[in-house]
Amino acid sequence: MLDGKKSLFSGMQSTGTLHLGNYLGALKNWVTLEDEYQCFYCVVDMHSITVRQEPAELRRKARALLTLYIAAGLDPEKNCLYYQSHVPAHAELSWILNCYTYMGELNRMTQFKDKASKNEENINAGLFTYPVLMAADILLFQADIVPVGDDQKQHIELTRDVAGRFNSIYGDVFTIPEPYIKKTGARIMSLQEPTKKMSKSDDNANASIYLLDDTDTIIRKFKRAVTDSDNEIRHSKDKPGISNLIEIYGVATGKSIEETEKEFEGKGYGDFKIATGEAVASMLKPIQDRYNELIKDKAYIDSIIKNNGEKASYYANKTLRKVQKKVGFPERIR
Ligand code: TRP
């Protein structure tokens, strides 16, 4: 709770490019929560440097992500959109929480094991304590809910454990957050391997529709999407490729599975793929137009970055000061 309103925190890394799965699975839903919750959406650039980044590229992508948040419909007056690295409280609380998190707990994190095996030449301490920084992100804003994908559930569990441990020593300092995982709504799969989720880290660009792909690219990627060979547009477990396309077509047009099956009865995959590509392209077009306008408006985006960074700092510092006092740091002299 913050100022008598329920609070929500979520973050995204700016590495990689946002794709259709990120939009339909996250951003699009975020927009609907802005009245019910006090919302904080962070560009988690401090998490990004747990793997090597090209500095200019990281900076550019962070700005692109924040701009895309707004283009996708998040009103920056209602939602606090900011950079993690602009709010030092994240790092400060993270240090404190490191001292309340066990090595054994971090050792069990499946994402760490996964990332460590992919970055054997750079298994740094930040990669290991990544979930503690994430706990700090969430707890600084006394978040009641944290919208995340399934893959982040374990990190939210850890956050709850660490917060509970801290509270049991020092009293009610942190709100214990709940993961907010949408049960309904499409799970967007890779266009090339439809049994795998569409992923930012996929090396094959044809597997994902990026939010800023142009219409021709979108249609081309759908034409190349992997499907089975029976040419029947029917949603079924044993037809993962075509089922994925039916679901994507459904969210882009608002049509149900049954309606779509009926609409394309007797037609082939070729027609359906083009129709899906066109539907997705026209769904993304307004976001792209808005993005292209916004990214040129340097003064406006700068003002959002500054104001929202200050707003985030205000709330974060409130929690941080409380924590510092609880653990016994000396009072600040004013
Ligand atoms: N680890 C998250 C991811 O990779 C991003 C993230 C960082 C996050 N801090 C967070 C998500 C806090 C939710 C809340 O998707």
Side-chain angles (χ1 to χ4, degrees):
M1 293 284 262
L2 278 184
D3 295 347
K5 201 169 174 184
K6 283 200 170 173
S7 151
L8 176 160
F9 187 95
S10 196
M12 274 192 197
Q13 293 211 36
S14 56
T15 44
T17 315
L18 284 198
H19 56 61
L20 196 59
N22 300 129
Y23 175 63
L24 297 173
L27 270 179
K28 191 165 179 252
N29 303 316
W30 290 2
V31 176
T32 65
L33 299 167
E34 65 185 20
D35 292 322
E36 194 177 347
Y37 296 91
Q38 174 107 284
C39 298
F40 297 85
Y41 296 110
C42 184
V43 175
V44 294
D45 48 358
M46 288 161 65
H47 279 104
S48 295
I49 63 162
T50 54
V51 298
R52 280 301 168 260
Q53 303 292 338
E54 208 285 296
E57 194 54 7
L58 181 62
R59 211 179 336 268
R60 188 188 64 76
K61 285 191 161 167
R63 194 173 177 97
L65 179 59
L66 196 129
T67 306
L68 208 43
Y69 278 174
I70 304 171
L74 288 174
D75 176 353
E77 302 295 326
K78 288 189 178 169
N79 302 274
C80 188
L81 316 172
Y82 74 101
Y83 295 139
Q84 190 183 32
S85 64
H86 284 191
V87 178
H90 286 270
E92 295 179 71
L93 182 62
S94 183
W95 172 255
I96 296 175
L97 296 180
N98 265 317
C99 304
Y100 295 82
T101 307
Y102 299 122
M103 300 282 288
E105 289 178 306
L106 293 176
N107 259 324
R108 284 199 293 276
M109 295 294 120
T110 55
Q111 191 167 72
F112 170 68
K113 288 185 216 172
D114 186 43
K115 287 193 178 173
S117 72
K118 285 183 188 148
N119 295 282
E120 269 177 18
E121 72 299 337
N122 181 21
I123 306 178
N124 60 71
L127 195 65
F128 188 61
T129 59
Y130 177 114
V132 183
L133 177 58
M134 188 164 154
D137 298 343
I138 296 166
L139 299 177
L140 274 176
F141 296 93
Q142 306 290 352
D144 295 275
I145 64 164
V146 185
V148 281
D150 250 341
D151 61 327
Q152 296 298 314
K153 246 167 112 174
Q154 198 185 26
H155 291 161
I156 309 294
E157 267 315 306
L158 177 78
T159 302
R160 290 167 58 86
D161 290 345
V162 172
R165 181 172 307 140
F166 196 93
N167 283 353
S168 73
I169 305 172
Y170 301 104
D172 253 349
V173 177
F174 296 126
T175 303
I176 309 290
E178 296 278 349
Y180 177 84
I181 295 172
K182 266 202 107 198
K183 293 140 224 106
T184 54
R187 202 172 126 87
I188 307 299
M189 312 305 276
S190 155
L191 299 186
Q192 292 298 315
E193 284 178 80
T195 50
K196 270 184 20 192
K197 248 181 34 169
M198 195 175 277
S199 160
K200 271 199 242 177
S201 49
D202 203 316
D203 293 329
N204 183 352
N206 284 322
S208 307
I209 301 295
Y210 299 117
L211 293 193
L212 300 176
D213 277 348
D214 61 37
T215 300
D216 288 348
T217 307
I218 293 174
I219 293 175
R220 180 172 45 77
K221 286 181 178 178
F222 276 107
K223 279 187 185 165
R224 291 191 187 163
V226 169
T227 42
D228 55 69
S229 55
D230 79 5
N231 220 27
E232 191 192 346
I233 294 141
R234 181 169 53 82
H235 193 283
S236 155
K237 268 213 165 58
D238 58 349
K239 291 163 73 69
I242 207 70
S243 299
N244 186 35
L245 298 190
I246 291 175
E247 287 182 29
I248 293 173
Y249 184 75
V251 275
T253 58
K255 290 181 183 158
S256 69
I257 293 173
E258 295 72 36
E259 285 172 311
T260 303
E261 287 174 343
K262 207 169 215 149
E263 182 180 353
F264 288 93
E265 212 175 311
K267 300 211 174 104
Y269 286 175
D271 289 342
F272 180 56
K273 285 177 173 178
I274 293 172
T276 305
E278 285 171 349
V280 168
S282 56
M283 172 179 72
L284 296 181
K285 184 74 171 39
I287 298 175
Q288 298 179 345
D289 290 348
R290 181 104 180 90
Y291 175 87
N292 290 328
E293 253 170 53
L294 284 166
I295 200 80
K296 281 187 289 196
D297 195 345
K298 187 169 182 311
Y300 174 69
I301 297 295
D302 281 350
S303 74
I304 303 287
I305 290 170
K306 182 166 183 291
N307 296 341
N308 279 342
E310 285 168 2
K311 181 174 163 196
S313 286
Y314 167 78
Y315 287 108
N317 284 335
K318 263 175 92 160
T319 301
L320 180 66
R321 296 292 171 255
K322 211 193 247 179
V323 171
Q324 290 172 325
K325 189 167 175 202
K326 291 285 186 188
V327 301
F329 290 171
E331 242 173 276
R332 284 162 194 251
I333 316 293
R334 291 174 202 280

